[in-house]
Amino acid sequence: MATYRIAVLPGDGIGPEVTPEAMRVLAAVAKGAGVSLEFEQALVGGAAIDTAGEPLPAASMALCQQADAILFGAVGGPRWDDLPPERRPERGLLALRKELDLFANLRPARCFPMLVDASPLKRSVVEGTDLMVIRELTGGLYFGEPRGVERFADGGARAINTMAYTSREIERVARMAFEVARKRRRRLASVDKANVLVVSQLWREIVTRVGREFPDVTLEHVLVDNAAMALVHRPTQFDTLVTENTFGDILSDEAAILAGSMGMLPSASIGGKVGLYEPVHGTAPDIAGKGVANPIAAILSAAMLLRYSLDMAGAADRVEAAVERVLGQGHRTADIARPGEKTLGTREMGDLVVREVEAGA
Ligand code: IPM
Ligand code: MG
């Protein structure tokens, strides 16, 4: 029997609440598929700072490097907000992305038909939305040098971050994006700020060049400010989008609204030796510890793990179909419920998906 090792890093906030539900779903689907999954937990983020004094202890890094895939929760929270950037919980996630060379972050945003009314946007805008944001994840402002703060004697200061990309970094994420677009509706929008930034001019040049290898995919270039508007104005015009790190961070949160709730959005960070799968929603400190967080983003991230790291597309389909059936039966967590509608907790929603996975096996 095939055996896979899954490193589990629940992290902070609602991470430790939603991650176990994703694990249960994975265990159920693996059982049906005759595959054995070994889960090993490790510390990351604020939880790791409190216990081990750093956001990504060496043992956690080692576990991830040896795993077949990483199931990640979320990191950060108000308790650690006063720490300098280099010691914050978020640094643990950034170090993992960089060390494991996870340069492509896939964030699908789909408006499930039964959740059309959960989005604060009009039905006429969101209905039919099915897009994929591919965010470059190991370059740009997040990692560029030089960076830092200079303090002046007169009390003033100057801070620097650098947006830098090499042609190689652009090329590899562009190629990944074209390949993803090819399996979807064969339309790729490359988002940049080429009317102002030289980095974006290089981005556009390289993406255009890579595009020549994919004559079957229609490429368009969209300026980021315009893309931000188009996403909430006419999201159905998009299929696959590719963009640099910071633009992708911002646009993918915006895209979450199209899916009804942040609690619905999964992600896959791939490109390196081992993929990392995490819900896009983050730690949600306002609802952490209450058992009400929507586990669907984590569960759909587990489906992406099956698809991209374990090459188990059939199992991934089964999980996604199970989620759709549960939603179709009218079950809702608070974030996707209409006013007055009955709501389920994290665990109850997880139970229902597990049941449907078992039923659909
Ligand atoms: C995300 C998050 C992270 C990011 C934070 C937690 C560092 O917002 O994955 O989108 O900015 O990349
Ligand atoms: Mg973000």
Side-chain angles (χ1 to χ4, degrees), residues 143-220:
F143 299 98
E145 301 281 352
R147 66 179 147 149
V149 196
E150 259 181 286
R151 303 269 167 200
F152 303 132
D154 68 0
R158 180 169 181 266
I160 310 175
N161 284 101
T162 303
M163 185 190 277
Y165 272 101
T166 63
S167 51
R168 179 184 158 270
E169 287 172 315
I170 301 168
E171 199 177 315
R172 62 183 188 174
V173 74
R175 188 160 286 120
M176 175 84 80
F178 277 105
E179 272 158 15
V180 170
R182 184 172 256 175
K183 292 194 195 128
R184 293 175 47 93
R185 299 190 303 280
R186 295 204 203 92
R187 290 204 328 266
L188 180 63
S190 172
V191 178
D192 64 36
K193 188 69 187 172
N195 53 348
V196 177
L197 305 175
V198 287
V199 180
S200 286
Q201 283 161 0
L202 181 67
W203 180 278
R204 201 174 268 218
E205 176 190 323
I206 305 294
V207 172
T208 304
R209 195 169 73 205
V210 174
R212 296 202 190 102
E213 297 164 29
F214 299 84
D216 53 322
V217 177
T218 307
L219 170 65
E220 65 169 332

Side-chain angles (χ1 to χ4, degrees), residues 105-295:
N105 182 216
L106 276 48
R107 297 186 164 183
R110 207 178 126 211
C111 178
F112 287 94
M114 51 290 211
L115 293 186
V116 176
D117 296 313
S119 174
L121 297 174
K122 284 191 194 130
R123 167 180 281 269
S124 59
V125 172
V126 294
E127 197 161 37
T129 298
D130 179 4
L131 56 85
M132 171 81 91
V133 178
I134 298 175
R135 165 187 177 193
E136 200 291 327
L137 205 55
T138 52
L141 287 173
Y142 277 63
F143 299 98
E145 301 281 352
R147 66 179 147 149
V149 196
E150 259 181 286
R151 303 269 167 200
F152 303 132
D154 68 0
R158 180 169 181 266
I160 310 175
N161 284 101
T162 303
M163 185 190 277
Y165 272 101
T166 63
S167 51
R168 179 184 158 270
E169 287 172 315
I170 301 168
E171 199 177 315
R172 62 183 188 174
V173 74
R175 188 160 286 120
M176 175 84 80
F178 277 105
E179 272 158 15
V180 170
R182 184 172 256 175
K183 292 194 195 128
R184 293 175 47 93
R185 299 190 303 280
R186 295 204 203 92
R187 290 204 328 266
L188 180 63
S190 172
V191 178
D192 64 36
K193 188 69 187 172
N195 53 348
V196 177
L197 305 175
V198 287
V199 180
S200 286
Q201 283 161 0
L202 181 67
W203 180 278
R204 201 174 268 218
E205 176 190 323
I206 305 294
V207 172
T208 304
R209 195 169 73 205
V210 174
R212 296 202 190 102
E213 297 164 29
F214 299 84
D216 53 322
V217 177
T218 307
L219 170 65
E220 65 169 332
H221 300 281
V222 188
L223 294 172
V224 64
D225 47 350
N226 188 249
M229 183 183 64
L231 266 179
V232 285
H233 178 60
R234 213 157 62 82
T236 49
Q237 81 183 67
F238 292 115
D239 173 33
T240 309
L241 297 96
V242 63
T243 192
E244 68 88 44
N245 205 344
T246 305
F247 297 164
D249 179 44
I250 298 167
L251 293 182
S252 59
D253 266 27
E254 193 190 359
I257 293 302
L258 305 167
S261 158
M262 287 284 272
M264 294 296 297
L265 244 72
S267 84
S269 301
I270 57 177
K273 204 178 119 268
V274 43
L276 181 148
Y277 301 84
E278 61 173 318
V280 173
H281 52 57
T283 55
D286 53 323
I287 56 163
K290 298 187 179 151
V292 298
N294 184 351

Side-chain angles (χ1 to χ4, degrees), residues 106-108 132 266-268 277 299-310 316 320:
L106 276 48
R107 297 186 164 183
M132 171 81 91
S267 84
Y277 301 84
I299 290 169
L300 293 175
S301 300
M304 293 186 91
L305 181 155
L306 292 164
R307 191 179 303 282
Y308 293 104
S309 280
L310 306 189
E320 286 162 1

Side-chain angles (χ1 to χ4, degrees), residues 71-119:
L71 191 62
F72 195 93
V75 285
R79 281 186 47 209
W80 306 281
D81 270 353
D82 294 331
L83 293 172
E86 298 308 315
R87 290 180 35 223
R88 288 173 65 104
E90 289 83 352
R91 186 57 50 181
L93 175 57
L94 297 177
L96 269 174
R97 290 173 177 170
K98 193 69 177 174
E99 283 301 310
L100 299 173
D101 210 15
L102 303 173
F103 64 84
N105 182 216
L106 276 48
R107 297 186 164 183
R110 207 178 126 211
C111 178
F112 287 94
M114 51 290 211
L115 293 186
V116 176
D117 296 313
S119 174

